[in-house]
mmCIF file of all heavy atoms in Angstrom:
data_model
loop_
_atom_site.group_PDB
_atom_site.id
_atom_site.type_symbol
_atom_site.label_atom_id
_atom_site.label_comp_id
_atom_site.label_asym_id
_atom_site.label_seq_id
_atom_site.Cartn_x
_atom_site.Cartn_y
_atom_site.Cartn_z
ATOM 1 N N LYS G 25 112.529 99.849 25.104
ATOM 2 C CA LYS G 25 112.045 98.629 25.411
ATOM 3 C C LYS G 25 112.473 97.582 24.508
ATOM 4 O O LYS G 25 111.899 97.515 23.214
ATOM 5 C CB LYS G 25 110.409 98.700 25.365
ATOM 6 C CG LYS G 25 109.783 97.489 26.123
ATOM 7 C CD LYS G 25 108.313 97.779 26.200
ATOM 8 C CE LYS G 25 107.918 99.093 27.058
ATOM 9 N NZ LYS G 25 107.183 98.679 28.342
ATOM 10 N N MET G 27 112.669 94.302 22.483
ATOM 11 C CA MET G 27 111.707 93.170 22.165
ATOM 12 C C MET G 27 112.482 92.128 21.435
ATOM 13 O O MET G 27 112.513 92.110 20.233
ATOM 14 C CB MET G 27 110.520 93.616 21.424
ATOM 15 C CG MET G 27 109.813 94.792 21.847
ATOM 16 S SD MET G 27 108.558 95.428 20.644
ATOM 17 C CE MET G 27 108.928 97.116 20.449
ATOM 18 N N ARG G 130 86.270 72.404 29.018
ATOM 19 C CA ARG G 130 84.772 72.311 29.157
ATOM 20 C C ARG G 130 84.349 73.137 30.327
ATOM 21 O O ARG G 130 84.866 73.099 31.438
ATOM 22 C CB ARG G 130 84.361 70.854 29.287
ATOM 23 C CG ARG G 130 84.739 69.989 28.157
ATOM 24 C CD ARG G 130 84.203 70.446 26.821
ATOM 25 N NE ARG G 130 82.729 70.519 26.756
ATOM 26 C CZ ARG G 130 81.899 69.503 26.485
ATOM 27 N NH1 ARG G 130 82.528 68.361 26.338
ATOM 28 N NH2 ARG G 130 80.640 69.634 26.548
ATOM 29 N N THR G 131 83.234 73.766 30.187
ATOM 30 C CA THR G 131 82.631 74.667 31.251
ATOM 31 C C THR G 131 82.375 73.939 32.471
ATOM 32 O O THR G 131 82.577 74.340 33.623
ATOM 33 C CB THR G 131 81.237 75.305 30.713
ATOM 34 O OG1 THR G 131 81.656 75.962 29.475
ATOM 35 C CG2 THR G 131 80.729 76.231 31.719
ATOM 36 N N SER G 132 81.928 72.582 32.386
ATOM 37 C CA SER G 132 81.696 71.848 33.496
ATOM 38 C C SER G 132 82.796 70.747 33.777
ATOM 39 O O SER G 132 83.187 70.094 32.846
ATOM 40 C CB SER G 132 80.406 71.023 33.491
ATOM 41 O OG SER G 132 80.301 70.030 34.348
ATOM 42 N N TYR G 134 82.487 67.948 34.828
ATOM 43 C CA TYR G 134 81.905 66.635 34.723
ATOM 44 C C TYR G 134 81.671 66.328 33.261
ATOM 45 O O TYR G 134 80.995 65.214 32.851
ATOM 46 C CB TYR G 134 80.665 66.506 35.536
ATOM 47 C CG TYR G 134 80.846 66.958 36.981
ATOM 48 C CD1 TYR G 134 79.985 67.914 37.517
ATOM 49 C CD2 TYR G 134 81.868 66.375 37.672
ATOM 50 C CE1 TYR G 134 80.311 68.323 38.818
ATOM 51 C CE2 TYR G 134 82.132 66.792 39.013
ATOM 52 C CZ TYR G 134 81.317 67.704 39.534
ATOM 53 O OH TYR G 134 81.486 68.170 40.891
ATOM 54 N N GLN G 137 86.220 65.572 28.541
ATOM 55 C CA GLN G 137 87.362 66.425 28.392
ATOM 56 C C GLN G 137 88.306 66.061 27.283
ATOM 57 O O GLN G 137 89.451 66.555 27.271
ATOM 58 C CB GLN G 137 88.020 66.601 29.731
ATOM 59 C CG GLN G 137 87.098 66.706 30.886
ATOM 60 C CD GLN G 137 87.190 68.211 31.596
ATOM 61 O OE1 GLN G 137 88.160 68.903 31.423
ATOM 62 N NE2 GLN G 137 86.137 68.603 32.215
ATOM 63 N N GLU G 164 97.308 74.139 27.944
ATOM 64 C CA GLU G 164 98.171 74.539 29.019
ATOM 65 C C GLU G 164 99.536 74.529 28.481
ATOM 66 O O GLU G 164 99.917 73.996 27.653
ATOM 67 C CB GLU G 164 98.039 73.678 30.204
ATOM 68 C CG GLU G 164 98.298 72.083 29.879
ATOM 69 C CD GLU G 164 97.945 71.236 31.074
ATOM 70 O OE1 GLU G 164 98.311 71.761 32.197
ATOM 71 O OE2 GLU G 164 97.432 70.301 30.961
ATOM 72 N N GLU G 166 102.382 73.535 29.566
ATOM 73 C CA GLU G 166 103.144 72.202 29.682
ATOM 74 C C GLU G 166 102.810 71.228 28.457
ATOM 75 O O GLU G 166 103.473 70.391 28.065
ATOM 76 C CB GLU G 166 102.895 71.569 30.916
ATOM 77 C CG GLU G 166 103.400 72.204 32.137
ATOM 78 C CD GLU G 166 102.647 71.661 33.493
ATOM 79 O OE1 GLU G 166 103.239 70.821 34.089
ATOM 80 O OE2 GLU G 166 101.699 72.290 33.837
ATOM 81 N N ARG G 183 88.573 80.801 25.301
ATOM 82 C CA ARG G 183 88.840 81.029 26.752
ATOM 83 C C ARG G 183 90.243 81.330 27.086
ATOM 84 O O ARG G 183 90.590 81.771 28.209
ATOM 85 C CB ARG G 183 88.410 79.819 27.453
ATOM 86 C CG ARG G 183 86.888 79.488 27.475
ATOM 87 C CD ARG G 183 86.597 78.173 28.181
ATOM 88 N NE ARG G 183 85.299 77.766 28.336
ATOM 89 C CZ ARG G 183 84.697 77.125 27.334
ATOM 90 N NH1 ARG G 183 85.315 76.709 26.158
ATOM 91 N NH2 ARG G 183 83.446 76.711 27.434
ATOM 92 N N GLN G 186 93.689 85.132 26.477
ATOM 93 C CA GLN G 186 94.583 85.899 27.366
ATOM 94 C C GLN G 186 95.302 85.102 28.338
ATOM 95 O O GLN G 186 95.605 85.552 29.418
ATOM 96 C CB GLN G 186 93.747 87.072 27.914
ATOM 97 C CG GLN G 186 93.266 88.040 26.963
ATOM 98 C CD GLN G 186 92.568 89.290 27.561
ATOM 99 O OE1 GLN G 186 91.846 89.213 28.571
ATOM 100 N NE2 GLN G 186 92.932 90.526 27.045
ATOM 101 N N ASN G 187 95.526 83.838 27.938
ATOM 102 C CA ASN G 187 96.398 83.054 28.865
ATOM 103 C C ASN G 187 97.796 83.251 28.351
ATOM 104 O O ASN G 187 98.306 82.462 27.473
ATOM 105 C CB ASN G 187 95.908 81.523 28.544
ATOM 106 C CG ASN G 187 96.651 80.473 29.507
ATOM 107 O OD1 ASN G 187 97.777 80.831 29.974
ATOM 108 N ND2 ASN G 187 96.116 79.352 29.736
ATOM 109 N N TYR G 188 98.428 84.129 28.943
ATOM 110 C CA TYR G 188 99.711 84.591 28.381
ATOM 111 C C TYR G 188 100.861 83.528 28.565
ATOM 112 O O TYR G 188 101.557 83.351 27.481
ATOM 113 C CB TYR G 188 100.105 85.882 29.048
ATOM 114 C CG TYR G 188 99.010 86.880 28.931
ATOM 115 C CD1 TYR G 188 98.426 87.594 29.869
ATOM 116 C CD2 TYR G 188 98.605 87.230 27.543
ATOM 117 C CE1 TYR G 188 97.389 88.474 29.662
ATOM 118 C CE2 TYR G 188 97.620 88.202 27.405
ATOM 119 C CZ TYR G 188 96.967 88.755 28.456
ATOM 120 O OH TYR G 188 96.068 89.678 28.243
ATOM 121 N N PRO G 189 100.901 82.811 29.578
ATOM 122 C CA PRO G 189 101.992 81.658 29.568
ATOM 123 C C PRO G 189 101.768 80.712 28.413
ATOM 124 O O PRO G 189 102.752 80.291 27.831
ATOM 125 C CB PRO G 189 101.776 80.986 30.946
ATOM 126 C CG PRO G 189 101.142 82.117 31.830
ATOM 127 C CD PRO G 189 100.260 82.820 30.886
ATOM 128 N N ARG G 193 104.393 80.035 25.308
ATOM 129 C CA ARG G 193 104.910 78.742 24.932
ATOM 130 C C ARG G 193 104.508 78.442 23.467
ATOM 131 O O ARG G 193 105.396 77.943 22.692
ATOM 132 C CB ARG G 193 104.346 77.575 25.893
ATOM 133 C CG ARG G 193 105.127 76.517 26.163
ATOM 134 C CD ARG G 193 106.439 76.757 26.842
ATOM 135 N NE ARG G 193 106.039 77.001 28.274
ATOM 136 C CZ ARG G 193 105.941 76.056 29.177
ATOM 137 N NH1 ARG G 193 106.234 74.767 28.914
ATOM 138 N NH2 ARG G 193 105.764 76.378 30.457
ATOM 139 N N SER G 208 84.717 88.078 24.840
ATOM 140 C CA SER G 208 84.316 89.406 24.825
ATOM 141 C C SER G 208 85.516 90.316 24.670
ATOM 142 O O SER G 208 85.741 91.469 25.260
ATOM 143 C CB SER G 208 83.557 89.779 26.187
ATOM 144 O OG SER G 208 84.461 89.622 27.283
ATOM 145 N N GLU G 213 92.511 93.943 22.011
ATOM 146 C CA GLU G 213 92.905 92.933 22.863
ATOM 147 C C GLU G 213 93.389 91.764 22.135
ATOM 148 O O GLU G 213 94.287 91.024 22.332
ATOM 149 C CB GLU G 213 91.862 92.494 23.852
ATOM 150 C CG GLU G 213 91.692 93.647 24.940
ATOM 151 C CD GLU G 213 90.431 93.401 25.844
ATOM 152 O OE1 GLU G 213 89.583 92.686 25.361
ATOM 153 O OE2 GLU G 213 90.367 93.963 26.942
ATOM 154 N N LEU G 216 96.666 92.465 20.643
ATOM 155 C CA LEU G 216 97.759 92.328 21.604
ATOM 156 C C LEU G 216 98.076 90.917 22.011
ATOM 157 O O LEU G 216 99.222 90.516 22.343
ATOM 158 C CB LEU G 216 97.377 93.179 22.863
ATOM 159 C CG LEU G 216 97.513 94.589 22.690
ATOM 160 C CD1 LEU G 216 96.903 95.405 23.752
ATOM 161 C CD2 LEU G 216 99.022 95.039 22.670
ATOM 162 N N GLU G 219 100.274 89.673 19.526
ATOM 163 C CA GLU G 219 101.549 90.270 19.657
ATOM 164 C C GLU G 219 102.417 89.373 20.636
ATOM 165 O O GLU G 219 103.603 89.355 20.484
ATOM 166 C CB GLU G 219 101.405 91.634 20.200
ATOM 167 C CG GLU G 219 102.657 92.484 20.350
ATOM 168 C CD GLU G 219 103.179 92.999 19.026
ATOM 169 O OE1 GLU G 219 102.334 93.141 18.050
ATOM 170 O OE2 GLU G 219 104.297 93.414 18.919
ATOM 171 N N TYR G 220 101.866 88.874 21.572
ATOM 172 C CA TYR G 220 102.545 87.882 22.446
ATOM 173 C C TYR G 220 103.199 86.701 21.636
ATOM 174 O O TYR G 220 104.236 86.340 21.848
ATOM 175 C CB TYR G 220 101.606 87.320 23.447
ATOM 176 C CG TYR G 220 101.553 87.898 24.834
ATOM 177 C CD1 TYR G 220 100.534 88.944 25.126
ATOM 178 C CD2 TYR G 220 102.361 87.659 25.788
ATOM 179 C CE1 TYR G 220 100.416 89.581 26.259
ATOM 180 C CE2 TYR G 220 102.382 88.310 26.946
ATOM 181 C CZ TYR G 220 101.375 89.167 27.277
ATOM 182 O OH TYR G 220 101.316 89.915 28.607
ATOM 183 N N ARG G 237 80.046 87.485 22.947
ATOM 184 C CA ARG G 237 78.958 87.303 23.861
ATOM 185 C C ARG G 237 77.919 88.466 23.508
ATOM 186 O O ARG G 237 78.337 89.617 23.486
ATOM 187 C CB ARG G 237 79.440 87.358 25.347
ATOM 188 C CG ARG G 237 78.431 87.068 26.256
ATOM 189 C CD ARG G 237 78.904 86.084 27.325
ATOM 190 N NE ARG G 237 78.526 84.672 27.120
ATOM 191 C CZ ARG G 237 78.865 83.794 27.955
ATOM 192 N NH1 ARG G 237 79.682 83.922 29.046
ATOM 193 N NH2 ARG G 237 78.465 82.533 27.657
ATOM 194 N N LYS Z 25 78.308 59.075 37.286
ATOM 195 C CA LYS Z 25 79.595 59.878 37.073
ATOM 196 C C LYS Z 25 80.266 60.049 38.478
ATOM 197 O O LYS Z 25 79.825 60.849 39.207
ATOM 198 C CB LYS Z 25 79.167 61.230 36.536
ATOM 199 C CG LYS Z 25 80.339 62.076 35.986
ATOM 200 C CD LYS Z 25 79.794 63.341 35.339
ATOM 201 C CE LYS Z 25 78.953 63.127 33.973
ATOM 202 N NZ LYS Z 25 79.585 63.492 32.863
ATOM 203 N N MET Z 27 82.539 61.327 41.236
ATOM 204 C CA MET Z 27 83.249 62.583 41.385
ATOM 205 C C MET Z 27 84.155 62.436 42.531
ATOM 206 O O MET Z 27 83.689 62.673 43.704
ATOM 207 C CB MET Z 27 82.298 63.750 41.581
ATOM 208 C CG MET Z 27 81.203 63.894 40.588
ATOM 209 S SD MET Z 27 79.952 65.233 41.014
ATOM 210 C CE MET Z 27 78.439 64.461 40.932
ATOM 211 N N ARG Z 130 99.226 90.599 31.752
ATOM 212 C CA ARG Z 130 99.022 91.986 31.179
ATOM 213 C C ARG Z 130 98.617 91.924 29.689
ATOM 214 O O ARG Z 130 99.110 91.040 28.933
ATOM 215 C CB ARG Z 130 100.445 92.684 31.294
ATOM 216 C CG ARG Z 130 100.954 92.945 32.714
ATOM 217 C CD ARG Z 130 99.926 93.665 33.629
ATOM 218 N NE ARG Z 130 99.504 94.939 33.150
ATOM 219 C CZ ARG Z 130 100.269 96.032 33.266
ATOM 220 N NH1 ARG Z 130 101.339 95.978 34.061
ATOM 221 N NH2 ARG Z 130 99.872 97.238 32.789
ATOM 222 N N THR Z 131 97.765 92.677 29.370
ATOM 223 C CA THR Z 131 97.137 92.624 28.068
ATOM 224 C C THR Z 131 98.289 92.906 26.860
ATOM 225 O O THR Z 131 98.184 92.286 25.914
ATOM 226 C CB THR Z 131 96.187 93.806 27.831
ATOM 227 O OG1 THR Z 131 95.163 93.712 28.930
ATOM 228 C CG2 THR Z 131 95.509 93.779 26.424
ATOM 229 N N SER Z 132 99.316 93.636 27.145
ATOM 230 C CA SER Z 132 100.441 93.785 26.251
ATOM 231 C C SER Z 132 101.660 93.125 26.725
ATOM 232 O O SER Z 132 101.936 93.137 27.845
ATOM 233 C CB SER Z 132 100.621 95.357 26.146
ATOM 234 O OG SER Z 132 102.000 95.497 25.475
ATOM 235 N N TYR Z 134 104.438 94.027 26.289
ATOM 236 C CA TYR Z 134 105.565 95.008 26.656
ATOM 237 C C TYR Z 134 105.226 95.635 27.949
ATOM 238 O O TYR Z 134 106.055 96.510 28.293
ATOM 239 C CB TYR Z 134 105.673 95.998 25.544
ATOM 240 C CG TYR Z 134 105.742 95.176 24.163
ATOM 241 C CD1 TYR Z 134 104.941 95.558 22.997
ATOM 242 C CD2 TYR Z 134 106.797 94.261 23.918
ATOM 243 C CE1 TYR Z 134 105.003 94.939 21.831
ATOM 244 C CE2 TYR Z 134 106.861 93.616 22.696
ATOM 245 C CZ TYR Z 134 106.052 93.943 21.689
ATOM 246 O OH TYR Z 134 106.076 93.205 20.415
ATOM 247 N N GLN Z 137 105.420 92.942 33.953
ATOM 248 C CA GLN Z 137 104.760 91.568 34.176
ATOM 249 C C GLN Z 137 104.959 91.015 35.514
ATOM 250 O O GLN Z 137 104.685 89.860 35.875
ATOM 251 C CB GLN Z 137 105.329 90.509 33.099
ATOM 252 C CG GLN Z 137 105.235 91.056 31.685
ATOM 253 C CD GLN Z 137 104.283 90.329 30.740
ATOM 254 O OE1 GLN Z 137 103.745 89.278 31.060
ATOM 255 N NE2 GLN Z 137 103.835 91.047 29.785
ATOM 256 N N GLU Z 164 99.680 80.127 35.950
ATOM 257 C CA GLU Z 164 99.876 79.042 35.200
ATOM 258 C C GLU Z 164 99.879 77.833 36.069
ATOM 259 O O GLU Z 164 100.357 77.969 37.314
ATOM 260 C CB GLU Z 164 101.087 79.225 34.344
ATOM 261 C CG GLU Z 164 102.363 79.372 34.851
ATOM 262 C CD GLU Z 164 103.457 79.653 34.046
ATOM 263 O OE1 GLU Z 164 103.586 78.955 32.931
ATOM 264 O OE2 GLU Z 164 104.390 80.557 34.288
ATOM 265 N N GLU Z 166 101.934 75.328 36.320
ATOM 266 C CA GLU Z 166 103.209 74.944 36.864
ATOM 267 C C GLU Z 166 103.595 75.925 37.945
ATOM 268 O O GLU Z 166 104.433 75.612 38.770
ATOM 269 C CB GLU Z 166 104.307 75.155 35.735
ATOM 270 C CG GLU Z 166 104.099 74.087 34.587
ATOM 271 C CD GLU Z 166 104.888 74.537 33.331
ATOM 272 O OE1 GLU Z 166 106.115 74.311 33.282
ATOM 273 O OE2 GLU Z 166 104.251 75.324 32.511
ATOM 274 N N ARG Z 183 90.881 86.788 33.830
ATOM 275 C CA ARG Z 183 91.198 86.193 32.536
ATOM 276 C C ARG Z 183 91.382 84.670 32.634
ATOM 277 O O ARG Z 183 91.383 84.076 31.522
ATOM 278 C CB ARG Z 183 92.576 86.806 31.967
ATOM 279 C CG ARG Z 183 92.486 88.279 31.663
ATOM 280 C CD ARG Z 183 93.758 88.650 31.218
ATOM 281 N NE ARG Z 183 93.947 90.059 30.786
ATOM 282 C CZ ARG Z 183 94.064 91.114 31.542
ATOM 283 N NH1 ARG Z 183 94.273 90.794 32.882
ATOM 284 N NH2 ARG Z 183 94.174 92.319 31.035
ATOM 285 N N GLN Z 186 88.353 80.465 33.308
ATOM 286 C CA GLN Z 186 88.040 79.296 32.656
ATOM 287 C C GLN Z 186 89.333 78.618 32.186
ATOM 288 O O GLN Z 186 89.303 77.798 31.227
ATOM 289 C CB GLN Z 186 87.064 79.488 31.479
ATOM 290 C CG GLN Z 186 85.708 79.960 31.980
ATOM 291 C CD GLN Z 186 84.705 79.988 30.945
ATOM 292 O OE1 GLN Z 186 84.937 80.473 29.817
ATOM 293 N NE2 GLN Z 186 83.400 79.432 31.190
ATOM 294 N N ASN Z 187 90.388 78.854 32.991
ATOM 295 C CA ASN Z 187 91.663 78.179 32.642
ATOM 296 C C ASN Z 187 91.715 76.890 33.455
ATOM 297 O O ASN Z 187 92.053 76.934 34.601
ATOM 298 C CB ASN Z 187 92.858 79.113 33.040
ATOM 299 C CG ASN Z 187 94.277 78.536 32.616
ATOM 300 O OD1 ASN Z 187 94.392 77.233 32.599
ATOM 301 N ND2 ASN Z 187 95.281 79.403 32.588
ATOM 302 N N TYR Z 188 91.108 75.807 32.855
ATOM 303 C CA TYR Z 188 90.746 74.673 33.800
ATOM 304 C C TYR Z 188 92.069 73.997 34.213
ATOM 305 O O TYR Z 188 91.976 73.539 35.386
ATOM 306 C CB TYR Z 188 89.858 73.732 32.919
ATOM 307 C CG TYR Z 188 88.580 74.412 32.500
ATOM 308 C CD1 TYR Z 188 88.348 74.599 31.154
ATOM 309 C CD2 TYR Z 188 87.842 75.203 33.461
ATOM 310 C CE1 TYR Z 188 87.072 75.266 30.788
ATOM 311 C CE2 TYR Z 188 86.699 75.841 33.030
ATOM 312 C CZ TYR Z 188 86.325 75.894 31.721
ATOM 313 O OH TYR Z 188 85.221 76.575 31.373
ATOM 314 N N PRO Z 189 93.045 73.900 33.455
ATOM 315 C CA PRO Z 189 94.216 73.295 34.064
ATOM 316 C C PRO Z 189 94.816 73.977 35.310
ATOM 317 O O PRO Z 189 95.194 73.390 36.337
ATOM 318 C CB PRO Z 189 95.300 73.242 32.929
ATOM 319 C CG PRO Z 189 94.588 73.260 31.727
ATOM 320 C CD PRO Z 189 93.269 74.083 32.013
ATOM 321 N N ARG Z 193 94.837 72.599 39.282
ATOM 322 C CA ARG Z 193 96.068 72.564 40.112
ATOM 323 C C ARG Z 193 95.820 73.342 41.364
ATOM 324 O O ARG Z 193 96.225 72.954 42.501
ATOM 325 C CB ARG Z 193 97.183 73.210 39.307
ATOM 326 C CG ARG Z 193 98.582 72.768 39.708
ATOM 327 C CD ARG Z 193 98.902 71.357 39.247
ATOM 328 N NE ARG Z 193 98.979 71.110 37.910
ATOM 329 C CZ ARG Z 193 100.143 71.348 37.198
ATOM 330 N NH1 ARG Z 193 101.353 71.529 37.806
ATOM 331 N NH2 ARG Z 193 100.272 71.156 36.011
ATOM 332 N N SER Z 208 83.125 88.350 31.055
ATOM 333 C CA SER Z 208 81.792 88.256 30.534
ATOM 334 C C SER Z 208 81.167 86.889 30.915
ATOM 335 O O SER Z 208 80.479 86.274 30.147
ATOM 336 C CB SER Z 208 81.707 88.462 29.037
ATOM 337 O OG SER Z 208 82.482 87.415 28.372
ATOM 338 N N GLU Z 213 78.425 80.147 34.753
ATOM 339 C CA GLU Z 213 79.841 79.767 34.348
ATOM 340 C C GLU Z 213 80.818 79.982 35.631
ATOM 341 O O GLU Z 213 81.765 79.289 35.791
ATOM 342 C CB GLU Z 213 80.356 80.602 33.183
ATOM 343 C CG GLU Z 213 79.728 80.202 31.847
ATOM 344 C CD GLU Z 213 79.809 81.184 30.675
ATOM 345 O OE1 GLU Z 213 80.147 82.442 31.091
ATOM 346 O OE2 GLU Z 213 79.519 80.798 29.633
ATOM 347 N N LEU Z 216 80.345 76.999 37.832
ATOM 348 C CA LEU Z 216 80.981 75.877 37.192
ATOM 349 C C LEU Z 216 82.530 75.874 37.378
ATOM 350 O O LEU Z 216 83.168 74.847 37.539
ATOM 351 C CB LEU Z 216 80.553 75.645 35.798
ATOM 352 C CG LEU Z 216 79.184 75.107 35.726
ATOM 353 C CD1 LEU Z 216 78.703 75.208 34.242
ATOM 354 C CD2 LEU Z 216 79.100 73.651 36.107
ATOM 355 N N GLU Z 219 83.209 74.942 40.760
ATOM 356 C CA GLU Z 219 83.066 73.500 40.845
ATOM 357 C C GLU Z 219 84.278 72.712 40.390
ATOM 358 O O GLU Z 219 84.579 71.632 41.049
ATOM 359 C CB GLU Z 219 81.845 73.040 39.827
ATOM 360 C CG GLU Z 219 81.572 71.596 40.022
ATOM 361 C CD GLU Z 219 80.550 71.352 41.313
ATOM 362 O OE1 GLU Z 219 80.057 72.327 41.789
ATOM 363 O OE2 GLU Z 219 80.379 70.186 41.556
ATOM 364 N N TYR Z 220 85.091 73.255 39.635
ATOM 365 C CA TYR Z 220 86.383 72.643 39.175
ATOM 366 C C TYR Z 220 87.269 72.528 40.384
ATOM 367 O O TYR Z 220 87.976 71.641 40.702
ATOM 368 C CB TYR Z 220 87.131 73.392 38.205
ATOM 369 C CG TYR Z 220 86.852 72.882 36.664
ATOM 370 C CD1 TYR Z 220 85.904 73.432 35.926
ATOM 371 C CD2 TYR Z 220 87.679 71.946 36.129
ATOM 372 C CE1 TYR Z 220 85.691 72.977 34.706
ATOM 373 C CE2 TYR Z 220 87.550 71.507 34.883
ATOM 374 C CZ TYR Z 220 86.484 71.979 34.183
ATOM 375 O OH TYR Z 220 86.302 71.521 32.832
ATOM 376 N N ARG Z 237 82.145 93.327 31.328
ATOM 377 C CA ARG Z 237 82.323 94.229 30.284
ATOM 378 C C ARG Z 237 81.005 94.691 29.855
ATOM 379 O O ARG Z 237 80.015 94.070 29.766
ATOM 380 C CB ARG Z 237 82.875 93.280 29.041
ATOM 381 C CG ARG Z 237 83.279 94.092 27.938
ATOM 382 C CD ARG Z 237 84.586 93.538 27.419
ATOM 383 N NE ARG Z 237 85.745 94.441 27.743
ATOM 384 C CZ ARG Z 237 86.971 94.198 27.459
ATOM 385 N NH1 ARG Z 237 87.084 93.197 26.590
ATOM 386 N NH2 ARG Z 237 87.892 94.872 27.807
#
Side-chain angles (χ1 to χ4, degrees):
Chain G
K25 197 173 292 244
M27 308 179 231
R130 300 303 299 279
T131 305
S132 164
Y134 310 124
Q137 314 250 336
E164 54 186 323
E166 294 162 89
R183 289 179 180 85
Q186 294 190 313
N187 184 337
Y188 303 121
R193 209 70 71 90
S208 64
E213 288 168 342
L216 281 166
E219 187 78 15
Y220 266 93
R237 189 138 258 181
Chain Z
K25 195 173 295 244
M27 309 178 231
R130 300 302 300 279
T131 306
S132 164
Y134 310 125
Q137 314 249 336
E164 54 186 323
E166 294 162 90
R183 289 180 180 86
Q186 294 189 315
N187 184 337
Y188 303 121
R193 209 71 70 91
S208 62
E213 288 167 343
L216 282 167
E219 187 79 14
Y220 266 93
R237 190 138 259 181

